[in-house]
Structures are given as structure tokens and as C-alpha cells.
Amino acid sequence: MITGIKFFNKSVDKEIIAIYTILGIAVFYFILHPFTMVLYWFEFKNEPITFSSFIEVLGHRFKHSFSFKMLYMSLFFIVMGGVFGAAAGVFKVRTKKLSKHIDFLKKDISNLIQQGENQFLEFKSSIRYDFNLKTTNIELEMVIAKTLVGFMNSKGGKLIIGVSDEGNIIGIENDFITLKQKNSDGFEQKVYEIISKYIGKEYCSLVNLYFYPINNKNLCVLDIQKTNEPAYLLKGRETIFYLRTGNATRPLSIKEAVHYMNMEKDV
């Protein structure tokens, strides 16, 4: 199962933020402060700025920038530098944690794929693109819905799209070209359309969808929860009860479905 993980080291985080805060103060106080003083001097004198004149003014205005007379302006630049530096430090820490979290999830998904299909895991190459026909095949949508129903009626599980039955990563990019909105947003929208059409809108809340790039390919992981009420595949006027058993999803007759639901109530 894919699990979350927290990468917290408060002492390291505080150290990074402190370093960025100090760097921010140094940049604002020792660089931006005197340069601002020089620009103000040229504006006050109303003189044209050249490289040589700028260097000359910078020389005698540099020390003046740090004099007691400029205390309030110095404090302003120190505070601003500290604020910007701290904000940059927080951004750095969060970005680092997010990167580690994504790397962890990639490894976790890779491990799942290596384990192969089982009662809680299924692979599908696509939701609409037929690799044999090399074109769109909307009948594949029903195959996806059947798998989702099977997981919902059992104990839940995960459907990884973009992986062949043999466990090879092929990505979902071919699916993108079959969609009106040819990106992950369009893909997500299509998945929930499939659920609404073939199972029911009320079951959309049982499926959480995530995208992960692996080996320069995008994978989509559907995390399916167990339903409290039976879920059925809507096939025309028919309603079919599917159940995930082992590494396969199979239909149950009315008698088998009723017997299974009664057993579930007794558990």
C-alpha cells in the first residue's frame, strides 16, 4: 500500500531558515542599502549616472550608509532582509520536503509494481487508448469501471494506470491524445466521468487520484476505498456485481452476490 511519510528534522529546518535569514539581512544591509543611498544621491543632485560617477559616489557614500545618522534606514533594510531571507528559507525547507516525499512515493510505487498484481493491486495500460488498434477504444472505459467496482465491493485497493500486465511502465501519454483536454487535468476529469457513467456519481468520492512521474513517464494511481453499499457496473440496462478475488475481478451471479453481502454483514 502507498503510505505517506513525514520528513521532519526541526533542528535542520531551523538552521536552514536561520542561514537564509542571515543571508537576507546581509544582502539587504550591505548591498541594497548602500546602493539605494547612491541612487537617492543622484536623484537628489539631479545628475546623470555613469559607471565612473556611480563608483565614485559609491565610495564616499558607502561608509555614510552605516553611520548613526542612517540608523532608521539601516533598521528598515535589516528587517526587510530578515523577512525576505526567512521567507526564502521556509520555501527552501518546504520544497526540499516535497521533493523527498515525491521521491519516497516513486520508490513505493516502483516496489508495488515489482510485486505484481494481487488482491489489492491491478495494472492497466490505459483508460481509452487501445495499444493493439493504435487508436481510441471507449470500450476500455468499461474495463476500468469493472475493476473499480470489484475493488469497491471487496476491501478496496489500488489501480495503477500506465503499466502493462507484465509490470512494464508505459505511461499514460497515449491516453492524453484521446482527450479533449490533453493533460493530467483532462485525464482526471475523464476518470471521474467513467465512474459517474458506469457506476454512479455517488461513488466518485471513493476514488482518490494521484499522478507520479517515473522513468520519464506519467503514471496515474487510483486509490479505491471499500463501499458500504454494493456497487454495480451499469452496462446498458444491466447491472452487474463484480468482486475482486485474488489478482482478478470476476462477476457474481445474483445468488453469489447476495451470499457474499450476507457474509460481509456477519463479519
Side-chain angles (χ1 to χ4, degrees):
M1 304 293 285
I2 299 176
T3 56
I5 185 169
K6 292 183 179 180
F7 295 90
F8 287 111
N9 189 326
K10 291 184 179 180
S11 60
V12 174
D13 293 348
K14 290 180 179 179
E15 183 178 339
I16 292 174
I17 294 173
I19 291 173
Y20 272 77
T21 301
I22 294 172
L23 288 174
I25 292 173
V27 170
F28 271 69
Y29 184 62
F30 293 106
I31 299 177
L32 293 183
H33 182 201
F35 271 73
T36 302
M37 291 289 293
V38 173
L39 293 176
Y40 278 158
W41 186 91
F42 275 102
E43 185 177 355
F44 180 77
K45 296 292 185 178
N46 197 24
E47 293 186 11
I49 302 177
T50 64
F51 179 77
S52 58
S53 64
F54 184 87
I55 296 300
E56 181 181 352
V57 173
L58 178 63
H60 66 77
R61 298 296 295 178
F62 189 83
K63 291 183 179 181
H64 181 68
S65 301
F66 309 114
S67 66
F68 185 76
K69 293 181 179 180
M70 303 304 299
L71 177 62
Y72 291 113
M73 182 171 284
S74 297
L75 289 175
F76 171 80
F77 276 94
I78 289 172
V79 171
M80 291 299 296
V83 170
F84 275 87
V90 171
F91 178 78
K92 174 68 175 179
V93 168
R94 290 184 176 179
T95 302
K96 186 177 180 180
K97 288 178 181 177
L98 179 60
S99 177
K100 286 184 177 181
H101 185 62
I102 291 174
D103 289 341
F104 170 80
L105 289 174
K106 287 180 181 179
K107 292 179 182 178
D108 201 15
I109 294 172
S110 297
N111 291 334
L112 282 176
I113 294 173
Q114 291 176 5
Q115 292 173 16
E117 296 179 329
N118 53 52
Q119 183 178 354
F120 302 100
L121 182 66
E122 172 84 0
F123 302 147
K124 291 298 179 185
S125 300
S126 65
I127 60 172
R128 304 181 85 227
Y129 183 81
D130 193 318
F131 283 89
N132 293 322
L133 300 177
K134 306 298 181 183
T135 187
T136 303
N137 183 357
I138 61 175
E139 292 183 4
L140 295 178
E141 296 181 4
M142 189 172 293
V143 176
I144 297 296
K146 180 189 75 173
T147 303
L148 296 178
V149 167
F151 279 125
M152 290 176 183
N153 286 327
S154 56
K155 296 181 179 179
K158 286 181 171 55
L159 171 60
I160 303 181
I161 304 173
V163 179
S164 67
D165 292 336
E166 296 76 24
N168 298 318
I169 297 175
I170 56 181
I172 57 175
E173 283 72 18
N174 285 296
D175 266 327
F176 286 169
I177 64 177
T178 71
L179 305 171
K180 291 182 179 180
Q181 191 175 351
K182 305 180 186 302
N183 52 32
S184 58
D185 289 336
F187 189 96
E188 181 175 355
Q189 182 179 350
K190 177 54 66 175
V191 168
Y192 286 115
E193 283 181 6
I194 291 172
I195 298 171
S196 300
K197 179 179 179 181
Y198 294 103
I199 308 175
K201 293 180 180 179
E202 63 272 24
Y203 293 94
C204 288
S205 61
L206 297 179
V207 179
N208 293 313
L209 185 149
Y210 308 94
F211 294 97
Y212 299 102
I214 297 181
N215 298 340
N216 297 320
K217 299 287 186 180
N218 286 303
L219 299 184
C220 180
V221 178
L222 303 184
D223 191 358
I224 306 118
Q225 301 176 38
K226 178 182 178 180
T227 178
N228 294 324
E229 298 292 335
Y232 298 92
L233 179 70
L234 307 178
K235 187 177 181 182
R237 295 183 178 181
E238 293 184 86
T239 56
I240 308 173
F241 186 95
Y242 281 95
L243 183 68
R244 183 75 178 180
T245 55
N247 63 351
T249 303
R250 67 184 186 91
L252 268 63
S253 65
I254 296 176
K255 181 179 179 180
E256 290 173 327
V258 171
H259 180 64
Y260 171 76
M261 288 185 286
N262 287 334
M263 287 196 312
E264 284 292 293
K265 291 179 180 177
D266 294 336
V267 175

